[in-house]
Amino acid sequence: MCKLRPMGSFTANAMLDRMPCLPLVCATTLFLTSLSGCASSPQKGEEARHNANRVKAEFLHAWHGYERYAWGHDALKPLSRTAHDWYGESLLMTPVDALDTLILLGCSDEAYKTRELIATKLSLDRDVYVKNFEITIRLLGGLLSSYQLTGDPRLLRLAQDLGQRLLPAFNSPTGLPYVFVNLRSGKVRDPITNPAETGTLLLEFGTLSKLTRNPIFYQKAKRALVETFKRRSPLGLVGSSINVETGQWLDPDSHISGGIDSYYEYLWKCWLLFGDKDCLAMWRASIPAVNRYLADETSASLWYGHANMGTGARTATTYGALDAFFPALLALSGDLDRAGQLQASSFRMWSLYDIEPELINYRTMQVVAKGYHLRPEIIESAYYLEHFTHHPAYLDMGDKMFHDFVRFCRTDAGYAALDSVVTKEKRDEMESFVLAETFKYFYLLFAPDKTLDFDKVVFNTEAHPLRRTW
Ligand code: DMJ
């Protein structure tokens, strides 16, 4: 059982009654289990049901803002009520990223309309250089997950087309992928990358291989993961920046934050989804070093900071919104004790300004980067911890975070990031992961456990549930 540390003014409620049914109307599905009169969840009660409905209503508010002001574009700018396309022309980033959330939340009309938009309008034959990592986790992951949820073969065909167009990214001397690849010509550029970008590809490329029975995708992404791992230091740590042509590290700073984070996530999750023993071995060879050199206990709190990959010496005592994914990964891999402690720290960080700063110094508890990008990681971790411990503290944590999220970030057209958690000044940004991840994890945290069979899916790093259907 996880030990929860005191969480300031946060008070946990008593365990609530059995969960009444929450109506869900879902499309054809392979792993939603609550289609006809959902089963009750003994851990979640009336308040959680109420919160799940609130989350769904707010998700739809944001979605309808996108529909009204940015339909067919990559993203909504929620203050100016205009559209934004990442590469000057749309790759339907928000629709593809959000489709499985629409399905999971039972928004069947919106899901149908979105699926038709994607199936009839998404063209990947574009003369644009795209970021291999972002397109893989958002578009490829989204297409594969929605294909598994709907069985619509058009989505798998798009995923296959996209996978083929991304493959040239791996044509470096080391097998580590270039940062950018041109979707039409296959030309590549930008050899300086990081472990998150080289090692967060196998869940999506591997699933594509399994579903199309073409091993090439698995092989390329697995090699990139292994080549990253092979370059770990004798201590077992990886750095922040690497050249894919030489295989040399350019920055020895090691951490679990953005740029490395999901590399660790995929070591464990690729073992879970594919039963790949090499991934398990790489996880086992890595995680002790992370817990030894990056974990930092300060005045009864657990944090994870930065260290030099070669010496293990502490280089920074910063932790932030992106690091907050780690309790979920610790919980998923069985370390509920550390997971609970670290989640309590993340929640302390959130509670400093009643919304989450991008980065703090956990020694001084001063904000280092004051933006809030509507990130999902801390909510993802609350969801995983609630799932594994059934501790009502995580529902209460989610209740407070959702309340703050709505209070400070809601706009007439959707949800807006904050320029500053101190002043709460908004910025004109609503990334596609807000609909793919943030709302999805809020919803799953409160919804009946059987809304989605947690044990049958592995979420990619963009919250797209993938299932071993092969
Ligand atoms: C998402 O695109 C993914 O979760 C990624 O792994 C990290 N950054 C964002 C969300 O914060």
Side-chain angles (χ1 to χ4, degrees):
M1 184 67 181
C2 140
K3 286 179 211 134
L4 282 173
R5 302 265 169 138
M7 285 176 275
S9 59
F10 176 73
T11 325
N13 286 342
M15 199 76 90
L16 297 167
D17 293 341
R18 285 179 71 80
M19 178 78 187
C21 286
L22 179 71
L24 280 178
V25 184
C26 296
T28 310
T29 175
L30 294 173
F31 49 87
L32 301 185
T33 57
S34 51
L35 290 178
S36 52
C38 54
S40 62
S41 165
Q43 294 80 30
K44 298 176 185 175
E46 190 57 36
E47 195 180 334
R49 174 179 176 272
H50 171 73
N51 276 339
N53 286 331
R54 276 177 65 216
V55 172
K56 180 173 172 179
E58 289 307 312
F59 168 78
L60 279 173
H61 167 72
W63 176 256
H64 289 144
Y66 168 78
E67 266 194 334
R68 183 160 178 201
Y69 299 111
W71 183 247
H73 291 277
D74 281 337
L76 167 70
K77 295 174 83 171
L79 298 182
S80 59
R81 303 178 187 200
T82 55
H84 167 66
D85 291 318
W86 286 30
Y87 303 110
E89 45 190 300
S90 176
L91 290 172
L92 298 183
M93 213 69 79
T94 290
V96 176
D97 227 4
L99 178 54
D100 59 13
T101 312
L102 287 164
I103 296 168
L104 286 165
L105 270 60
C107 311
S108 31
D109 290 349
E110 288 86 353
Y112 178 76
K113 187 174 157 191
T114 304
R115 178 150 59 106
E116 289 307 306
L117 173 76
I118 294 166
T120 59
K121 295 280 187 264
L122 180 56
S123 164
L124 299 160
D125 184 24
R126 302 289 180 84
D127 185 17
V128 287
Y129 282 85
V130 300
K131 212 168 186 196
N132 183 46
F133 163 75
E134 294 290 356
I135 294 300
T136 297
I137 66 171
R138 301 190 197 210
L139 281 195
L140 189 55
L143 288 168
L144 290 167
S145 165
S146 290
Y147 164 68
Q148 289 196 308
L149 280 162
T150 62
D152 187 335
R154 296 174 299 176
L155 300 178
L156 183 58
R157 278 200 293 275
L158 282 166
Q160 190 166 9
D161 185 19
L162 180 57
Q164 288 289 355
R165 291 172 187 278
L166 294 176
L167 278 181
F170 297 94
N171 294 342
S172 73
T174 60
L176 294 167
Y178 286 88
V179 177
F180 286 94
V181 56
N182 186 296
L183 285 178
R184 182 170 293 160
S185 67
K187 286 185 185 154
V188 291
R189 65 165 213 235
D190 292 66
I192 312 300
T193 186
N194 60 55
E197 296 189 351
T198 61
T200 314
L201 306 163
L202 183 52
L203 283 181
E204 299 82 0
F205 278 79
T207 298
L208 184 58
S209 271
K210 300 291 183 187
L211 295 175
T212 60
R213 300 179 189 205
N214 179 352
I216 189 71
F217 306 108
Y218 198 107
Q219 287 162 3
K220 295 281 186 185
K222 168 105 181 259
R223 179 168 175 215
L225 186 60
V226 170
E227 292 293 332
T228 309
F229 171 77
K230 270 168 48 184
R231 289 171 172 79
R232 73 196 182 285
S233 71
L235 298 183
L237 296 171
V238 293
S240 296
S241 175
I242 192 166
N243 185 322
V244 306
E245 291 172 346
T246 64
Q248 299 298 307
W249 292 106
L250 303 174
D251 183 345
D253 193 34
S254 196
H255 51 78
I256 56 158
S257 199
I260 298 183
D261 46 8
S262 43
Y263 159 70
Y264 291 115
E265 181 183 344
Y266 275 34
L267 290 178
W268 181 253
K269 287 185 174 179
C270 290
W271 155 242
L272 284 189
L273 187 63
F274 303 121
D276 189 318
K277 290 190 175 132
D278 295 337
C279 295
L280 177 62
M282 291 189 284
W283 165 265
R284 285 185 173 153
S286 302
I287 196 67
V290 170
N291 286 329
R292 175 160 179 198
Y293 297 105
L294 303 182
D296 200 352
E297 293 245 19
T298 66
S299 58
S301 294
L302 176 66
W303 299 92
Y304 280 69
H306 293 224
N308 181 291
M309 67 184 279
T311 65
R314 179 74 55 213
T315 50
T317 55
T318 52
Y319 181 92
L322 286 163
D323 304 67
F325 85 103
F326 206 57
L329 182 58
L330 288 167
L332 186 65
S333 59
D335 190 347
L336 286 175
D337 190 26
R338 279 198 188 84
Q341 291 182 56
L342 189 60
Q343 181 68 1
S345 297
S346 296
F347 192 63
R348 270 186 69 198
M349 172 173 73
W350 179 289
S351 302
L352 286 173
Y353 290 95
D354 293 323
I355 201 85
E356 186 181 45
E358 182 72 353
L359 206 61
I360 63 164
N361 182 329
Y362 55 76
R363 291 268 168 189
T364 62
M365 294 307 279
Q366 297 297 307
V367 173
V368 174
K370 59 187 183 344
Y372 172 55
H373 298 278
L374 307 165
R375 292 197 191 282
E377 287 80 1
I378 190 171
I379 303 141
E380 172 186 8
S381 288
Y383 166 53
Y384 275 59
L385 275 158
E386 199 288 329
H387 171 80
F388 285 113
T389 68
H390 300 306
H391 199 300
Y394 297 113
L395 293 176
D396 288 348
M397 203 181 264
D399 180 67
K400 170 167 169 49
M401 292 192 289
F402 190 64
H403 176 85
D404 295 339
F405 178 77
V406 175
R407 181 171 163 219
F408 296 123
C409 305
R410 192 182 206 272
T411 71
D412 289 347
Y415 273 74
L418 301 181
D419 257 341
S420 165
V421 296
V422 182
T423 63
K424 311 292 192 285
E425 191 184 338
K426 293 188 176 73
R427 69 190 283 167
D428 204 7
E429 170 192 302
M430 186 177 91
E431 283 259 17
S432 66
F433 60 67
V434 180
L435 299 165
E437 298 191 74
T438 310
F439 277 105
K440 187 185 286 153
Y441 285 131
F442 266 131
Y443 184 77
L444 291 173
L445 170 63
F446 297 125
D449 286 352
K450 293 195 172 181
T451 301
L452 174 126
D453 193 341
F454 185 98
D455 299 322
K456 288 218 171 82
V457 302
V458 172
F459 290 96
N460 88 335
T461 196
E462 189 78 0
H464 296 304
L466 298 170
R467 191 185 184 215
R468 195 174 173 140
T469 49
W470 42 89

